Amino acid sequence: MILRYTFQRLLMLIPVSFSISVVIFMIVYLLPGDPIDNLLRVGSSPEDRAELVAQYGLDRNLVVQYFVWIGNMFQGEFGQAIVLRRPVADLVAQNLPYSLTLGGLAFLFSSTVGMALGTISAIVRHPLLDRFMRGFILLGSTVPGFWLALLLILFFSVNLGWFPVSGAGGWKSLVLPVLTIGFGGVALVARVTRVALLDAQREDFVTLLHAKGLSSRTILFRHLMPHALLPVVTILALRIGWILGGAVTVEFVFGRPGLGSLLIRALGQRDYPVVQACLLMLALAVMLGTLIGDVAQASMDPRIREKKS
Amino acid sequence: MRYSTKTQLLSGSAIVAAGLLFSTAAMAQNVSIAFSASELGATAYNPVAASTLNTATSLIYDRLVEQDADQSYHPHLATSWEETPDGMAWTFSLLEGVTFHDDTPFNAAAVQSWIASYAGTENEYLVEAIGSVDVIDDLTVRFNMDRPEPNLLYNLASAFMGIPSPTAFAELGDNFGVTAAVGTGPYELQSFEIGFETVLVRNEDYTWGSDLSENTGPGHIETFTFREIPDQSTAFLELRTGGIDLLLGVPTDFLAILEAEANIQIIQMPGVGISYMPINVTAPPFDNILVRQATGMAIDQEGIVAAIYNGVGAPAHNFLISSLPEADVDPDLNVTYNPARAGELLDEAGWVMGDDGVRVMGDERLSVSLYTANTTELTRLTQVVQAQLGEIGMEAIITVFDSSTIRDEYRNNAHQLAVRSYDWNNSDILDWFFSGNRLGYPNVSMWEDEEGQRLNDVAMTESSTSAERIANFTAYHEYVLSQHLFVPIYQPTQNIAFNATAISVPDPVRGSRFRGQSFMDIQVVE
Amino acid sequence: MKVSTMAIRSLDAFARMSIGRAFASGIGMVAGGFLILLVLVAIFAPWIAPFDYAAQNLMNANAPPGWPHLLGTDEFGRDVLSRVIFGARTSLSVSATAIAISMAAGMTLGAAAGYFGGFFERAVMTVVDLTWSFPDILIALIFVAIIGPGLTSTTFAIAIAYLAQFTRLTRAQIVRLKRETFIEATINLGAKPSHILLKHLMPNAIAPVIVVGMLAIGDGIVLEATLGFFGLGAQPPTPSWGAMMSSGTAQLFLSPWVIIFPGVAVAITVIAVNLFGDELIRALDIRDRLRGA
């Protein structure tokens, strides 16, 4: 059942990826300015320009350009960065590990800390703790990421000198960025965990387990946690795009390399191939996240499988 | 990374060098450095083809000659040189025993092919006067000139005339300076993450430092990590918190704070450029020279230096840094603050003061666009300029662009006023920014003028001696000033700060900039 | 749910009944009161601000909070309090305008998609799902890159970033309502589609959309601040909360108040918007309808 659903979802990705690729391809042609102008020697003739345009294949029909481009993408051939003058694949390879480390750690941080907080607040149902949790969740989902980052720098780097102000040298430089991105995630996961645990506790089987004389701890970790895990995975998977979005600002504030900062720089320089590659990578990540989220949700709730199939 | 591996690592000298290394420097010696804002974003370590180069370039490549702070020239890879009395030929004797990082020899043939490689590049003007290069013997070359070029030594000392290995240059093509960079310099390129970090590692074979450094052998420091920190104030915080050891461009407003820090020392050097506001002469209302002249009189250079730069640096009243002889123009042509006169000129041009403090001509308001690039120092200066233009009744609307996008705007002739800066300590910068051949960018003023072009050609190509060149460029400079194409604002100083508990830096710094020769003498403090 | 009463409930009544009820709770009153105050401050900024927000006084730059500059001065000696007050104007108007545009467009698209179904619906929803899964900041950044920095482009960028949300929500409402018996009856009676959509479907679909719009104004403020921080929003000297923080780390050391106060303004405003929005949801009892989207 779930396999069939997964397969169907995969099939659905084909038209979606096609439209995404077209949109990404087109976006770049809507950008004003021209990377060729950045490349041209000062005072060069229109002929020089035409030659460069031809060299980068920008003189061909748009449809042809699209198919050439998408064909290359399939072969992992991202083309040559126009302004940065090197294979786009190299740039992506250089930046991707930074993004993956940061994103992965933020993901891990928000899921573990969030679930722990959520579980605590589900067990200890104290009004004061409840209020604190509500406040924390509200704060986590409203504070602008860049502002939080600046405050963390002010406190931990400038005043205490614990962590570096910027850069990507060693684990210490990861702490503040991970905290910044993870903060919103922690709040979200805590809320989801709490709701899921409270819902599960009301189920009949829990009463049954209690009646069988199992300890509360066993019930919590053996039987309730798996229930809570799924919605958490779902929400986090659906939020991959959001984590990546957070990474753009965080990479900027902390001066870290990564797909986000590469994209921002390439947008500024109108470096088409780099913008396209970055957007495509991000879109892929988002689609993958949505897929995982949907499948997780479907495995939890059979109604979804039926409705969509 | 083909060119960074040393094939002769086991040769005798290398073993001796390695032995020395272990005895003198037990600890890992890495010094990290942040570039100044003006040198961010270099895309390649290719002196021949790149239009921007950063300081690290001067450690990878050596030059034939070096220029000291007093403008005198010192031998480096050229031990001596001779110019014929008519200026039509230069003969250079080359240093013996110099090798590139790929172990190919540096010799006359290398110089010959290097000069030839400038053909068709943006930097071609540097060698334009050289007709041909003759190899006299292995260590002697002669440049046969098409015309006398009094500026030749200046060109040869510039970062754009660092000498790359001809073998690697030919082999790597467009990738030269990107995937690998091979010169004869004291440091070799280990890694280059564009826009982020460049790591240089010591060239153990290096024994040919110029006399501008105390140390002419291998550098004291094992590796230099150059970081590109986009925000200068972040870089400042990094220095203060020990994240970096050396900061190449300290924003002037931080100088006072850094001076109070016990562990931080500051070196101030004379500046090599100015901040200014080009005026697009093709965009109304600036097609009227009276409006342009009035705009110049609105800017209070002395006030800006005092208030936003705490008195550090100097006001700029014309286009060249004041240490250049060509900056010494007829004082009447210098641009100075005179708001009263500015008001009269605008009245004369038909722009009368409106009710809301903005001048009007009929229904039209004197509202103009003011562009700037997104670096901290420029946006700051621009906002002050905006306020000062407001004082004479000119409303300036600021738009902040990415530093690379802004060139598109100039090329599209979409601009009116802009605040920008340049770094160049030679009067040929006038040609770069005002030649009619480069409209849009770099000729942001969009100025095309027959008399201007004539004076430009005379200055660039018809000077046979230094004195003649100075006279010609002064005349060109004066003509440019008389046309009110820009408003000079500020001559910054070069501010370098370092963590004195981590490293020691030569004092005084020799050379016109803090570059290769100074890095040779940097030492780790035990 | 009594369908007939739902159908006649106009926007007017919606405002009177539900907003009144949202104010009734303690939190709702505090949050709502704050928001009203903020809007008043934004409107009357020129009379409230103690100083000209653009007046520079370089001799008094980076002055710490005190008298007469209650929140200190920035790097040009401009009064931070006055800039925060005028910044409320920029931030609120940009965000509210953007969300209004986004709501109008999203409701049109969503209603059409939900009502007509078929290929049109699939085409719209594919595009919508696509933008929905992208982080809003990326969509906004790309859009600003296309039309250039400034307040207008920021407004449209924010509108586009949230378009998907409103389209999805409206469509879900319309699809749900179409199944209601009274609509089926109207359709069977041969009413024109435009008549059914405007007279019967939209009034019923509007409440949840308005609540989500209210909450989205909070997100819009954060997004506006982020774009401003990147230097893409309000151009100097126009103050906006985000742009005030764009000098970034420079100010952290010299004058942290320039960073802290606008950030606090953003945070408090967004929290108030969220709390009030939550109370609205509770008052309208539409939590389930929001989940369905």
Side-chain angles (χ1 to χ4, degrees):
Chain A
M1 239 349 229
I2 194 71
L3 267 178
R4 218 184 88 196
Y5 175 73
T6 312
F7 183 67
Q8 276 168 347
R9 280 293 280 109
L10 275 173
L11 274 185
M12 274 169 62
L13 280 186
I14 294 173
V16 175
S17 353
F18 175 74
S19 27
I20 287 186
S21 67
V22 172
V23 169
I24 288 176
F25 182 75
M26 290 312 297
I27 278 177
V28 168
Y29 285 86
L30 292 174
L31 290 175
D34 195 329
I36 298 294
D37 284 336
N38 271 331
L39 273 187
L40 272 181
R41 272 187 66 196
V42 163
S44 32
S45 65
E47 290 76 39
D48 295 341
R49 196 192 144 79
E51 195 180 315
L52 263 181
V53 166
Q55 188 190 326
Y56 285 94
L58 298 175
D59 55 343
R60 281 173 288 184
N61 174 316
L62 262 192
V63 180
V64 176
Q65 279 191 53
Y66 170 76
F67 280 105
V68 169
W69 176 72
I70 198 75
N72 288 338
M73 289 288 139
F74 269 116
Q75 296 160 30
E77 172 62 54
F78 291 108
Q80 184 84 6
I82 299 181
V83 178
L84 301 181
R85 296 180 192 223
R86 59 196 66 202
V88 178
D90 285 6
L91 287 169
V92 170
Q94 186 192 328
N95 284 280
L96 193 61
Y98 291 107
S99 288
L100 288 181
T101 320
L102 182 59
L105 284 177
F107 199 88
L108 207 69
F109 171 73
S110 42
S111 48
T112 48
V113 177
M115 282 185 74
L117 282 179
T119 313
I120 293 171
S121 76
I123 301 170
V124 191
R125 267 178 283 162
H126 191 276
L128 211 68
L129 187 77
D130 251 18
R131 197 160 296 173
F132 170 78
M133 283 300 298
R134 259 195 80 172
F136 178 76
I137 287 166
L138 197 60
L139 215 63
S141 50
T142 52
V143 168
F146 69 89
W147 190 59
L148 181 65
L150 288 175
L151 292 190
L152 289 176
I153 293 175
L154 177 62
F155 189 69
F156 289 106
S157 304
V158 177
N159 289 338
L160 294 175
W162 288 358
F163 305 109
V165 174
S166 71
W171 67 271
K172 272 191 169 179
S173 67
L174 271 166
V175 176
L176 297 184
V178 166
L179 277 180
T180 312
I181 302 182
F183 187 59
V186 166
L188 187 77
V189 172
R191 187 170 59 185
V192 172
T193 313
R194 184 171 178 275
V195 171
L197 283 178
L198 291 179
D199 280 355
Q201 271 173 352
R202 274 187 238 117
E203 304 262 339
D204 294 340
F205 80 95
V206 178
T207 327
L208 195 73
L209 292 174
H210 276 294
K212 275 167 85 176
L214 286 172
S215 73
S216 301
R217 182 180 297 181
T218 320
I219 295 175
L220 177 69
F221 286 107
R222 281 272 173 77
H223 303 279
L224 291 180
M225 274 318 236
H227 268 258
L229 209 59
L230 216 44
V232 170
V233 170
T234 311
I235 197 83
L236 279 176
L238 290 173
R239 282 280 170 138
I240 281 186
W242 175 85
I243 287 179
L244 293 172
V248 173
T249 18
V250 166
E251 282 172 4
F252 181 83
V253 178
F254 288 98
R256 284 182 63 86
L259 275 191
S261 44
L262 180 65
L263 174 64
I264 298 227
R265 188 171 51 226
L267 268 176
Q269 295 170 328
R270 320 267 189 240
D271 203 335
Y272 297 169
V274 183
V275 174
Q276 286 170 331
C278 287
L279 285 177
L280 210 64
M281 300 296 290
L282 293 175
L284 272 178
V286 168
M287 286 197 305
L288 213 66
T290 319
L291 179 72
I292 296 170
D294 281 358
V295 171
Q297 221 169 10
S299 68
M300 190 170 55
D301 184 351
R303 276 171 304 176
I304 294 178
R305 295 199 294 264
E306 282 154 25
K307 200 166 75 190
K308 292 206 175 161
S309 54
Chain B
M1 293 307 288
R2 179 160 173 197
Y3 288 95
S4 58
T5 46
K6 285 215 140 305
T7 46
Q8 294 180 347
L9 199 66
L10 293 177
S11 72
S13 66
I15 290 173
V16 173
L20 280 173
L21 176 71
F22 283 113
S23 57
T24 57
M27 59 174 142
Q29 290 186 328
N30 176 39
V31 169
S32 50
I33 299 143
F35 288 124
S36 70
S38 58
E39 47 184 352
L40 297 177
T43 53
Y45 287 102
N46 183 343
V48 174
S51 51
T52 51
L53 291 173
N54 60 35
T55 303
T57 317
S58 67
L59 279 89
I60 301 172
Y61 304 98
D62 288 323
R63 290 142 302 277
L64 286 179
V65 297
E66 303 286 347
Q67 190 183 25
D68 201 354
D70 62 3
Q71 320 282 328
S72 65
Y73 295 99
H74 292 241
H76 196 180
L77 293 188
T79 52
S80 65
W81 53 89
E82 209 178 333
E83 183 189 8
T84 55
D86 61 358
M88 294 303 283
W90 290 73
T91 311
F92 291 87
S93 306
L94 305 179
L95 194 62
E96 199 181 344
V98 174
T99 53
F100 290 101
H101 302 153
D102 59 0
D103 290 315
T104 57
F106 165 78
N107 53 27
V111 172
Q112 189 183 38
S113 74
W114 160 61
I115 295 290
S117 63
Y118 282 91
T121 70
E122 199 152 310
N123 301 331
E124 190 175 4
Y125 76 95
L126 291 165
V127 298
E128 219 163 24
I130 304 174
S132 62
V133 178
D134 290 341
V135 174
I136 307 291
D137 62 46
D138 194 45
L139 292 172
T140 315
V141 285
R142 186 174 61 219
F143 294 177
N144 303 307
M145 312 297 286
D146 285 343
R147 54 173 164 84
E149 175 54 283
N151 207 38
L152 183 68
L153 287 178
Y154 177 84
N155 288 348
L156 289 175
S158 113
F160 293 96
M161 295 209 78
I163 304 169
S165 151
T167 332
F169 191 84
E171 220 163 288
L172 287 166
D174 277 352
N175 281 331
F176 186 83
V178 177
T179 53
V182 186
T184 60
Y187 285 81
E188 302 177 16
L189 181 67
Q190 188 179 58
S191 72
F192 173 33
E193 286 186 59
I194 190 164
F196 180 61
E197 198 173 88
T198 298
V199 180
L200 301 184
V201 57
R202 176 167 52 197
N203 174 2
E204 304 293 352
D205 300 338
Y206 195 77
T207 53
W208 48 85
S210 77
D211 65 0
L212 293 183
S213 330
E214 290 277 314
N215 171 26
T216 54
H220 297 300
I221 308 296
E222 242 176 88
T223 57
F224 283 115
T225 305
F226 285 88
R227 285 176 55 189
E228 298 202 21
I229 303 178
D231 187 1
Q232 279 315 94
S233 41
T234 308
F236 156 79
L237 288 180
E238 286 279 18
L239 178 69
R240 220 187 135 262
T241 55
I244 54 170
D245 305 308
L246 180 73
L247 174 53
L248 288 172
V250 185
T252 321
D253 32 327
F254 292 128
L255 283 176
I257 307 168
L258 282 180
E259 273 160 7
E261 298 275 329
N263 61 334
I264 292 185
Q265 278 185 29
I266 295 166
I267 302 169
Q268 268 187 1
M269 298 171 68
V272 289
I274 67 165
S275 309
Y276 67 105
M277 176 167 71
I279 303 172
N280 182 349
V281 300
T282 63
F286 297 111
D287 50 351
N288 184 341
I289 193 167
L290 294 177
V291 177
R292 303 204 295 265
Q293 193 179 354
T295 308
M297 291 175 168
I299 304 303
D300 178 8
Q301 289 97 340
E302 275 75 11
I304 287 175
V305 175
I308 76 170
Y309 298 113
N310 300 316
V312 177
H317 293 294
N318 58 48
F319 202 74
L320 298 173
I321 55 171
S322 42
S323 60
L324 289 173
E326 295 89 342
D328 194 12
V329 293
D330 176 357
D332 287 343
L333 290 169
N334 278 330
V335 182
T336 46
Y337 180 53
N338 190 346
R341 180 81 188 111
E344 288 168 27
L345 286 169
L346 285 174
D347 286 337
E348 198 182 321
W351 292 97
V352 291
M353 195 52 105
D355 300 332
D356 59 348
V358 177
R359 286 174 184 270
V360 288
M361 187 193 290
D363 293 339
E364 204 183 337
R365 285 157 55 85
L366 187 55
S367 177
V368 301
S369 66
L370 176 59
Y371 287 1
T372 192
N374 55 354
T375 62
T376 318
E377 293 224 53
L378 278 182
T379 43
R380 208 169 124 81
L381 180 57
T382 306
Q383 291 193 54
V384 175
V385 165
Q386 180 187 40
Q388 296 191 344
L389 290 175
E391 297 289 313
I392 62 160
M394 184 184 287
E395 180 187 50
I397 313 285
I398 295 181
T399 311
V400 182
F401 287 96
D402 184 274
S403 354
S404 52
T405 330
I406 199 162
R407 291 188 186 183
D408 284 349
E409 302 292 327
Y410 297 145
R411 290 202 180 95
N412 296 336
N413 199 1
H415 58 290
Q416 287 180 297
L417 299 174
V419 173
R420 51 190 326 283
S421 64
Y422 76 79
D423 270 334
W424 197 250
N425 56 349
N426 191 287
S427 52
D428 62 9
I429 195 74
L430 288 166
D431 163 65
W432 182 250
F433 283 117
F434 297 107
S435 159
N437 300 330
R438 305 196 185 94
L439 291 179
Y441 187 84
N443 186 346
V444 179
S445 301
M446 302 293 296
W447 183 60
E448 256 185 308
D449 185 279
E450 215 170 294
E451 174 65 3
Q453 201 56 49
R454 191 188 66 79
L455 289 168
N456 178 318
D457 290 342
V458 169
M460 286 298 284
T461 61
E462 290 172 28
S463 319
S464 47
T465 64
S466 284
E468 253 182 74
R469 186 174 186 271
I470 291 169
N472 289 338
F473 266 106
T474 309
Y476 180 39
H477 187 196
E478 288 183 335
Y479 185 68
V480 164
L481 284 167
S482 72
Q483 299 300 304
H484 304 284
L485 310 173
F486 65 95
V487 183
I489 304 173
Y490 175 59
Q491 298 185 58
T493 53
Q494 302 179 71
N495 309 316
I496 293 125
F498 63 97
N499 185 342
T501 57
I503 57 170
S504 69
V505 167
D507 183 34
V509 172
R510 300 192 59 194
S512 57
R513 293 167 194 254
F514 192 93
R515 62 177 194 184
Q517 82 284 352
S518 317
F519 283 86
M520 287 295 288
D521 289 333
I522 291 181
Q523 273 176 291
V524 165
V525 175
E526 301 286 329
Chain C
M1 183 172 297
K2 278 184 229 125
V3 169
S4 51
T5 57
M6 277 290 290
I8 54 163
R9 188 190 276 179
S10 65
L11 250 178
D12 220 29
F14 163 83
R16 232 179 305 126
M17 292 169 60
S18 48
I19 294 187
R21 236 182 286 158
F23 268 108
S25 80
I27 291 179
M29 207 165 78
V30 173
F34 175 81
L35 290 178
I36 289 175
L37 194 74
L38 193 69
V39 171
L40 289 177
V41 164
I43 292 172
F44 297 106
W47 291 275
I48 296 170
F51 292 91
D52 176 357
Y53 70 84
Q56 301 185 354
N57 179 3
L58 294 172
M59 292 306 165
N60 190 28
N62 298 320
W67 188 259
H69 299 284
L70 294 179
L71 300 189
T73 64
D74 68 3
E75 54 185 330
F76 301 101
R78 299 178 299 202
D79 182 52
V80 172
L81 176 63
S82 305
R83 291 182 66 75
V84 170
I85 288 172
F86 273 91
R89 231 181 200 200
T90 319
S91 296
L92 289 186
S93 62
V94 165
S95 180
T97 316
I99 299 300
I101 295 172
S102 192
M103 265 171 73
M107 281 169 73
T108 315
L109 272 177
Y115 187 78
F116 297 110
F119 176 76
F120 179 71
E121 180 182 23
R122 247 178 295 148
V124 168
M125 293 321 285
T126 307
V127 175
V128 159
D129 281 345
L130 204 147
T131 56
W132 198 61
S133 45
F134 263 92
D136 47 12
I137 179 70
L138 271 189
I139 296 173
L141 275 177
I142 291 164
F143 192 78
V144 174
I146 291 173
I147 63 173
L151 279 184
T152 320
S153 60
T154 309
T155 309
F156 280 102
I158 297 173
I160 288 188
Y162 294 113
L163 184 61
Q165 191 178 347
F166 294 112
T167 314
R168 278 173 75 104
L169 185 63
T170 313
R171 177 185 152 274
Q173 302 296 320
I174 299 289
V175 168
R176 187 182 59 83
L177 285 169
K178 252 173 80 180
R179 289 193 222 108
E180 307 261 357
T181 39
F182 83 101
I183 298 289
E184 275 174 21
T186 327
I187 294 173
N188 291 341
L189 284 173
K192 274 191 295 186
S194 59
H195 176 83
I196 301 173
L197 255 177
L198 290 177
K199 281 279 159 65
H200 298 287
L201 290 176
M202 287 311 267
N204 284 301
I206 212 162
V209 179
I210 284 182
V211 173
V212 169
M214 165 93 203
L215 289 171
I217 288 182
D219 297 336
I221 289 173
V222 174
L223 189 52
E224 192 272 334
T226 310
L227 287 173
F229 176 70
F230 278 110
L232 300 171
Q235 298 292 308
T238 310
S240 94
W241 291 339
M244 288 177 74
M245 297 182 262
S246 69
S247 36
T249 37
Q251 254 39 47
L252 273 184
F253 192 78
L254 291 172
S255 45
W257 48 89
V258 176
I259 300 283
I260 290 174
F261 291 122
V264 168
V266 171
I268 293 180
T269 309
V270 178
I271 286 176
V273 166
N274 273 281
L275 288 176
F276 190 71
D278 278 351
E279 291 305 320
L280 257 183
I281 293 174
R282 191 172 306 166
L284 284 168
D285 197 19
I286 51 167
R287 195 171 289 278
D288 290 338
R289 285 169 65 189
L290 291 177
R291 262 194 203 159

